[in-house]
Amino acid sequence: MQLLVNMEMKPCFSFYSKLPSLQQLSVRRKSGVRPAPLLTAAPVRALIDEQISIQGCFLPPHSPVTLSARMHSDEGDLWESFAHFNTNASGTFNSTNDHSVGGSYLGCEPMGLFWGMQPAAFQLLQDHPQVVSDRVGIIGLSFGCYMTLRIATRTGVKPACLVGINGPVGMGEDDLSASSIENADMIEESLRSAGKSHLFTRLSYPGAGHLIEPPYSPNARASMWSIKPKKLITLWGGHPAPHAAAQEDAWAKVLNFLDNNLRR
């Protein structure tokens, strides 16, 4: 079993090293002033119950760094994780003492890069012989919207398009389960500020609730939600006629959106 640890410092640096053989190191530099970035691990060989400390140094001070890891299981499945750090005034960071500000885990977790690994489902789909690897989209409903965005920001994942329903993109204005309108406003403003508003298409439906599903699916304004061992009453929102109309309209537009982006 082999583990690949990768650190990215964009736009200046990108390098990787393989554990346990950290002698294999590749560095690309755009500046000859600063010493080459260095990634080290201690110990370089460890038992399953021993911690490994990963440190990066000779980096620009107070700058964001992404540390990622990939591993193939004995069955050949790819697992991966990543963590975002900020270097200190000396241009260093340490996975044991420093806090991850995003990625597969948050906070100071010395072995978070290891236990935070998840199967790389997107790559498994891309590698399927009946799938065109650069024409894969991701669609999410409800909390699946946030998972869609999280998957899309993972290292090596480049979906052709994303569809979010009653998370941050397409929403019912009578959604009683999530702050869909506010989330969409934030994402739209962020893309506009970055000059990428053309990448965002927003659908909004007055009178529609949270669960905008395929056409003719019945809608419940409230229902029992089982979170073992408890059952809770969850409000979804939506009025029958406008919700049904929203499902028909949204379904047609989603299919058209996917067709335009995946069959190009």
Side-chain angles (χ1 to χ4, degrees):
M1 184 180 296
Q2 190 175 59
L3 177 69
L4 174 69
V5 176
N6 179 74
M7 183 172 71
E8 293 186 358
M9 184 71 198
K10 296 181 178 180
C12 298
F13 303 96
S14 175
F15 72 96
Y16 68 90
S17 61
K18 291 184 178 180
L19 294 179
S21 180
L22 289 178
Q23 289 79 10
Q24 301 177 13
L25 182 64
S26 173
V27 180
R28 292 201 303 270
R29 301 180 57 203
K30 291 189 177 180
S31 172
V33 178
R34 186 180 293 107
L38 180 64
L39 184 69
T40 60
V44 294
R45 295 178 183 272
L47 298 176
I48 189 66
D49 60 348
E50 294 180 320
Q51 291 189 2
I52 297 176
S53 178
I54 302 173
Q55 177 173 293
C57 56
F58 304 126
L59 296 162
H62 305 299
S63 298
V65 175
T66 296
L67 184 67
S68 62
R70 289 186 174 187
M71 178 185 69
H72 284 91
S73 68
D74 294 337
E75 291 76 25
D77 298 326
L78 178 65
W79 290 62
E80 61 181 2
S81 62
F82 67 101
H84 302 308
F85 295 94
N86 290 312
T87 60
N88 58 22
S90 301
T92 66
F93 77 92
N94 189 298
S95 65
T96 300
N97 303 319
D98 296 334
H99 285 243
S100 167
V101 296
S104 301
Y105 68 95
L106 294 173
C108 185
E109 297 285 352
M111 294 295 285
L113 200 66
F114 295 81
W115 57 251
M117 284 188 171
Q118 296 290 326
F122 187 85
Q123 185 165 348
L124 292 176
L125 185 60
Q126 284 186 310
D127 292 341
H128 194 283
Q130 295 183 341
V131 172
V132 181
S133 61
D134 64 344
R135 298 184 185 181
V136 178
I138 307 176
I139 183 169
L141 169 65
S142 187
F143 186 73
C145 293
Y146 300 95
M147 297 304 297
T148 294
L149 294 174
R150 180 171 180 176
I151 292 172
T153 58
R154 295 180 71 89
T155 303
V157 176
K158 296 181 179 180
C161 63
L162 305 176
V163 176
I165 301 175
N166 269 329
V169 183
M171 79 290 297
E173 295 183 10
D174 190 43
D175 186 352
L176 300 180
S177 181
S179 302
S180 301
I181 296 177
E182 291 80 1
N183 290 337
D185 288 341
M186 292 173 59
I187 291 181
E188 188 170 18
E189 178 57 33
S190 297
L191 289 173
R192 184 184 297 110
S193 299
K196 297 183 178 181
S197 57
H198 62 286
L199 299 177
F200 184 79
T201 300
R202 178 171 177 171
L203 303 177
S204 185
Y205 297 100
H210 184 74
L211 298 175
I212 299 179
E213 298 179 302
Y216 319 125
S217 300
N219 176 61
R221 189 169 178 81
S223 67
M224 297 295 293
W225 182 265
S226 179
I227 304 178
K228 294 183 178 180
K230 299 180 179 180
K231 288 187 177 181
L232 306 175
I233 296 179
T234 301
L235 299 178
W236 305 111
H239 300 279
H243 189 90
Q247 291 187 146
E248 289 190 59
D249 185 78
W251 183 254
K253 289 180 178 176
V254 165
L255 292 181
N256 184 64
F257 178 79
L258 293 174
D259 189 70
N260 290 337
N261 286 276
L262 301 181
R263 295 182 184 273
R264 62 186 187 281

